[in-house]
Amino acid sequence: MAIADVFSRSSTTTGPGAAVTPLSAFGERPAREGEHVEALYAWVDEIAALTTPDRVHWVGGSRLENEALLREMVDEGRLIKLNPEWRPGSYLARSHPGDVARTEGRTYIASEREEDAGPTNNWVAPDEMRATLTPLFAGSMRGRTMYVVPFSMGTVGGPLSHIGVQITDSAYAVASIGIMTRVGVDVIDQIAAGKPWVKTVHTVGAPLAPGEQDVAWPCNDEKYIVHYPDTLEVWSFGSGYGGNAILAKKCFALRIASVIGRDEGWLAEHMLLIRVISPEGKKYHIAAAFPSACGKTNLAMLRPTIPGWRVETLGDDISWIRPGDDGRLWAINPEAGFFGVAPGTGESTNVTAVETLWGNTIFTNVALRPDGDVWWEGLTDETPAELTDWEGNPWTPASGRPAAHPNSRFTVSAGQCPQIADDWEAPEGVPLDAILFGGRRATNVPLVVEATDWSHGVFIGSNISSERTAAAEGTVGELRRDPFAMLPFCGYNMADYFAHWLRVGKALHVSKRPRVFQVNWFRKGSDGRFLWPGFGDNSRVIEWIVRRLEGAVDAVDAPIGRLPRIEDLNLEGIDVPQQDLEELFAVDPESWLHEADLTEQFYSTFEGKVPPRLYAELEALRYRLKRAQQA
Ligand code: OXD
Ligand code: MN
């Protein structure tokens, strides 16, 4: 019997023969009164009239309803139930091979004014976009169930939280939203009470003709991920995958929220959030922005290798940051789960993540083991002799292709993380002490450098970049810019976003501003070796940062910021040769002057909109570099 058959029958947790509640027992529209909730009902009716689903199901968010949904998905062949002995309550989804990642080329900011989208976003005028989308959405849910999912980003009713409703015809999206956000009728109560909410509409774009057999992962070759920032709406067509389908995440919590933050004076950021506890028991909160694939989840779940230090996880992808009454910046992780990249997550790189995934996890596009558990490249040192790959084909190490898709994912509740902070759901969030910007840089950028002040920090953030590797298109070594790690996620003109960052910091008293640092775990020596061990040893850099916050160590002024004195780094227990340490912190004025030219080129793409303050930072950097060159 095939593996899928062994575990795909009856996903019930109530035991053989026990009565189970079918999904159809749920889904009633909650009865509430008043003009606000009437507006919600009218909107849902309007979308149903456009998309013509067979049924409308209001998701209430109970555990029993979720179980019924998962059971139905297993019975319909959309999910494979994993062996409960190894992975209780867990499932594997296999996507269509053409629907495996966010589609940035098909992602649009349809703002009224083109200049509000800026040169880094795809723009189409809202009317034109609606004229394109309306015929695509018309009848798009035929033969399917339309789910209405009320959700909150941040705890329901929290002062930093925001709510929304996603309409979707994907049960997979419903199950994922249930993990990644707080879903429930209490959100409808908030809407009824008049709280503003964001409208999000999603269809996989695969209507079914009467009697037509469905496929496990319906989708459409044509895809549109469209944001209307002026009316706080998201419309997504054609994809069932990740950020294209879980609209609360990148679409709402970053693109739309960044616009709300611009207008309300706060920041929606692509940042992990951690609490660092020193051996003296002092607590510090750090948010850190890294482009995708630079180890954000690893840092979020850091296990320090230095004695006495602890890290608690608060979030691994998104932070909402707002000035508090005390004049400091306060941050929450608006999400309720982790949607992490599986390959490369393993015992030796992120044991905390591996432990988090013990059960109750939806895996997508990973490989299946013969024993009904999952596997992906990097999970274990040893490669299993036999697997079913992410496309459902037999696989052995000799197959010559990855068993799991490189963008395969796990979706799991944050509460399952063994080092999650007890108060990770605190509605008011945590006060920020430091902000880190990182990228993957083989050259130039030192292991750590401190910004001299807020506007220098914003300058550094605006210059985040990673070098292209041989695997990506383009010239190897060429810088791929990803300012603030927000390039694909900023819902408005990035130059206005830089100005907003300057404004938010300037409004804070200098003593209350988080300090800003740039980090780079990926610098290489001239022989191509990584100079720094990384992973748990990054705690040594965090220790230096904390000691700077405490005023316990001095720093050395360099043209690019403040560098550590090597003797202040805690290197006990690791063996990094002196020469490597020197290379890790070397600043070559010539190559930095070249970078400054690239920055100027990049800024010029915004046609005069980059704030003068950042040009002043650029000129000051050039001046310091030239002086260093002459010295
Ligand atoms: C993500 C990303 O999925 O940054 O978090 O791409
Ligand atoms: Mn991300």
Side-chain angles (χ1 to χ4, degrees), residues 50 65 68 92 97 116 132 193 204 233 254 369 406 439 441 449 455 466 496 580 607:
L50 174 67
E65 181 189 32
L92 168 63
D116 285 339
T132 304
V204 293
E233 286 171 80
L254 289 175
R369 297 170 56 111
R441 293 295 308 270
V449 57
S455 54
S466 289
D496 293 338
D580 286 7
E607 294 171 346

Side-chain angles (χ1 to χ4, degrees), residues 250 270 292 296 317 489:
K250 304 295 190 184
H270 192 203
S292 306
K296 233 167 44 259
D317 196 42
F489 306 124

Side-chain angles (χ1 to χ4, degrees), residues 301-493:
M301 299 180 184
L302 183 77
R303 289 212 185 166
T305 50
I306 42 178
W309 289 79
R310 282 196 298 128
V311 167
E312 292 178 350
T313 308
L314 289 152
D316 82 325
D317 196 42
I318 298 176
S319 295
W320 284 355
I321 303 172
R322 193 189 274 268
D325 295 339
D326 61 354
R328 302 184 69 186
L329 287 183
W330 287 70
I332 60 164
N333 163 20
E335 301 191 276
F338 305 125
F339 178 66
V341 176
T345 305
E347 299 286 348
S348 54
T349 54
N350 190 341
V351 67
T352 301
V354 172
E355 288 174 5
T356 304
L357 305 176
W358 62 267
N360 306 325
T361 304
I362 298 176
F363 297 93
T364 308
N365 287 349
V366 299
L368 186 63
R369 297 170 56 111
D371 63 0
D373 196 5
V374 284
W375 191 83
W376 52 81
E377 280 71 17
L379 175 62
T380 52
D381 290 341
E382 221 169 282
T383 304
E386 222 190 300
L387 292 166
T388 305
D389 74 7
W390 67 277
E391 292 188 83
N393 299 315
W395 185 96
T396 70
S399 298
R401 60 177 193 276
H405 186 278
N407 192 35
S408 54
R409 298 282 180 150
F410 52 80
T411 311
V412 67
S413 288
Q416 259 184 223
C417 173
Q419 66 190 71
I420 197 88
D422 282 348
D423 57 346
W424 73 279
E425 297 196 273
E428 69 285 2
V430 296
L432 276 189
D433 297 290
I435 291 173
L436 272 46
F437 293 119
R440 188 180 278 274
R441 293 295 308 270
T443 62
N444 273 15
V445 178
L447 179 62
V448 57
V449 57
E450 183 183 346
T452 46
D453 59 15
W454 184 264
S455 54
H456 183 225
V458 174
F459 176 73
I460 289 175
S462 76
N463 275 300
I464 292 192
S465 49
S466 289
E467 271 123 9
R468 279 184 203 277
T469 64
E473 278 177 14
T475 316
V476 172
E478 186 186 71
L479 287 190
R480 191 159 37 116
R481 295 199 165 259
D482 190 353
F484 290 78
M486 282 286 279
L487 190 70
F489 306 124
C490 185
Y492 61 104
N493 191 312

Side-chain angles (χ1 to χ4, degrees), residues 272 286-291 294-295 299 434-441 443 445-451 460 464-466 516-523 532 538 540-542 544-545 564 584-585:
L272 65 90
I286 299 180
F290 293 79
C294 290
L299 184 59
I435 291 173
L436 272 46
F437 293 119
R440 188 180 278 274
R441 293 295 308 270
T443 62
V445 178
L447 179 62
V448 57
V449 57
E450 183 183 346
I460 289 175
I464 292 192
S465 49
S466 289
V516 180
F517 298 81
Q518 181 171 28
V519 296
N520 175 27
W521 322 133
F522 302 98
R523 193 155 179 178
W532 181 247
N538 293 336
R540 298 166 192 276
V541 175
I542 302 288
W544 182 77
I545 288 169
L584 270 170
F585 293 103

Side-chain angles (χ1 to χ4, degrees), residues 33-202:
E33 282 174 11
E35 56 171 321
H36 301 297
V37 83
E38 289 299 338
L40 165 67
Y41 295 159
W43 175 70
V44 171
D45 289 347
E46 191 191 310
I47 304 298
L50 174 67
T51 57
T52 64
D54 278 7
R55 292 166 293 280
V56 176
H57 178 118
W58 287 72
V59 176
S62 71
R63 188 178 56 82
L64 281 180
E65 181 189 32
N66 187 51
E67 280 179 11
L69 179 80
L70 292 166
R71 194 163 46 237
E72 188 173 288
M73 289 174 73
V74 170
D75 291 343
E76 289 174 349
R78 299 181 198 285
L79 287 181
I80 294 167
K81 186 171 169 59
L82 299 175
N83 187 342
E85 202 175 317
W86 307 119
R87 212 59 76 161
S90 299
Y91 302 85
L92 168 63
R94 292 193 185 125
S95 80
H96 183 284
D99 191 22
V100 292
R102 285 184 293 101
T103 44
E104 288 175 18
R106 307 297 301 166
T107 299
Y108 297 86
I109 302 297
S111 48
E112 288 293 341
R113 300 184 327 158
E114 184 170 4
E115 64 167 329
D116 285 339
T120 60
N121 282 311
N122 300 313
W123 178 81
V124 172
D127 286 350
E128 197 184 316
M129 185 52 97
R130 285 189 203 274
T132 304
L133 290 189
T134 302
L136 286 174
F137 276 81
S140 63
M141 298 190 188
R142 194 178 58 222
R144 300 192 178 281
T145 300
M146 178 178 117
Y147 300 93
V148 182
V149 194
F151 63 86
S152 179
M153 300 307 283
T155 48
V156 179
L160 279 71
S161 303
H162 283 265
I163 56 174
V165 177
Q166 178 163 339
I167 285 177
T168 178
D169 57 3
S170 159
Y172 170 85
V174 175
S176 305
I177 301 163
I179 295 174
M180 296 305 296
T181 77
R182 283 99 177 158
V183 170
V185 279
D186 44 358
V187 175
I188 308 260
D189 293 330
Q190 295 253 307
I191 291 175
K195 187 164 167 110
W197 53 284
V198 172
K199 296 172 174 159
T200 71
V201 188
H202 168 242

